[in-house]
Amino acid sequence: MKAMLKKAAAVVSAAVLCAAAVGCSNKDTESSKSESNLVGGPSDGMSLDEDDMPYGATMTSLKSSTNDKLTLDVDFDPRYFAQEGTDYPEIYLISNYLTALQNGDEDAMKEVFYVPYLERSVKERNYESVKDYLEKYLDVLMTKAHGQFEFTYFTVDTCLNENESEDLTSFSEIDAKLDLAAGEKLSEKVKSRKLVYLDVTLKDVENKYYQLNSYLGYDISVYVYNIDGKYYLL
């Protein structure tokens, strides 16, 4: 798991986190990992139930080639995500988000985000609109990739829920922004909250593969909320 002791990294929406130098957690400034958060076997003489193991102890893979609800291949720990039958709606949402970013698809972005929150967030970061944000994001990444690029795969590196410290998640601040964007106490209808950190693999114009996080120099995170029974990104 990543060390996530920089509160500033946790208070910006996913739409802003992917813009260069905005709302990012720089790896050079992150605190050291806590041993209690590391994936690994129990100490000698101890045994842990699966539910007591840290995030990452039971990773699984889903392939877009065999799942038509998934746009990218993914590795994640299923214990930390909602499951509906054989489906993982939160994972699908994140996959669709990354594909929307890659394609600069404003309509697709609005399908996965709570739109009033998204629109307010991009304007707070001095973008004229969601479309303006996407165009500038793509300009930055295409410059670095020297042309067209493609996201091929992602790993959910860390997932924090409401059992974690507010210092790590800043859920109360996100709730306040959500209420402001909605014009009502929408946070009272929130059924679950997660802060998810992602490692994303991309292929550039020369068919070379990179970790997007290393490519851009900051970690990518996204809030996943269940609001009144529907999942949204914030």
Side-chain angles (χ1 to χ4, degrees):
M1 289 178 73
K2 295 188 186 300
M4 292 162 298
L5 304 182
K6 292 294 182 181
K7 192 168 183 180
V11 299
V12 188
S13 73
V16 177
L17 279 162
C18 280
V22 178
C24 59
S25 173
N26 192 305
K27 292 181 180 180
D28 292 336
T29 62
E30 287 183 333
S31 301
S32 299
K33 296 178 180 179
S34 166
E35 291 184 1
S36 64
N37 287 334
L38 294 177
V39 175
S43 302
D44 292 342
M46 294 179 60
S47 62
L48 290 176
D49 291 334
E50 184 176 293
D51 289 344
D52 296 326
M53 293 180 180
Y55 183 88
T58 59
M59 298 292 279
T60 193
S61 299
L62 294 180
K63 302 296 184 182
S64 59
S65 60
T66 58
N67 188 328
D68 60 8
K69 296 180 180 178
L70 196 65
T71 58
L72 296 171
D73 294 350
V74 57
D75 284 350
F76 67 105
D77 192 330
R79 297 173 301 153
Y80 283 70
F81 292 91
Q83 185 173 2
E84 298 177 358
T86 59
D87 291 332
Y88 292 91
E90 295 161 310
I91 295 296
Y92 300 161
L93 206 65
I94 297 169
S95 176
N96 289 340
Y97 157 60
L98 292 172
T99 301
L101 279 175
Q102 169 190 286
N103 297 334
D105 190 332
E106 180 182 4
D107 291 338
M109 283 283 285
K110 290 182 176 180
E111 285 291 323
V112 298
F113 277 85
Y114 180 69
V115 174
Y117 186 99
L118 173 62
E119 291 178 339
R120 184 179 183 89
S121 294
V122 297
K123 289 181 179 179
E124 285 178 347
R125 298 296 183 248
N126 298 318
Y127 297 103
E128 294 180 2
S129 64
V130 175
K131 181 179 180 181
D132 180 48
Y133 157 72
L134 287 170
E135 289 175 349
K136 288 183 170 60
Y137 165 79
L138 289 175
D139 284 345
V140 169
L141 196 50
M142 288 181 69
T143 297
K144 289 180 176 290
H146 305 292
Q148 295 295 324
F149 66 93
E150 177 186 0
F151 295 147
T152 61
Y153 166 81
F154 71 99
T155 299
V156 178
D157 180 81
T158 301
C159 180
L160 302 180
N161 57 33
E162 292 165 272
N163 294 325
E164 305 290 345
S165 165
E166 172 69 15
D167 288 339
L168 298 180
T169 63
S170 296
F171 287 138
S172 63
E173 293 184 41
I174 299 302
D175 285 2
K177 292 181 178 182
L178 177 63
D179 291 343
L180 192 61
E184 60 172 303
K185 291 288 289 182
L186 194 60
S187 60
E188 295 179 354
K189 298 180 181 179
V190 174
K191 299 181 181 298
S192 67
R193 299 168 174 85
K194 294 182 176 75
L195 172 58
V196 176
Y197 281 75
L198 308 173
D199 285 330
V200 183
T201 300
L202 68 81
K203 181 175 66 174
D204 70 9
V205 69
E206 298 178 348
N207 289 325
K208 295 180 180 178
Y209 291 84
Y210 301 89
Q211 289 301 113
L212 179 62
N213 312 46
S214 299
Y215 210 49
L216 296 179
Y218 56 84
D219 295 331
I220 299 171
S221 61
V222 59
Y223 285 93
V224 185
Y225 271 40
N226 182 318
I227 303 174
D228 203 19
K230 183 176 179 180
Y231 293 102
Y232 296 93
L233 300 186
L234 301 177

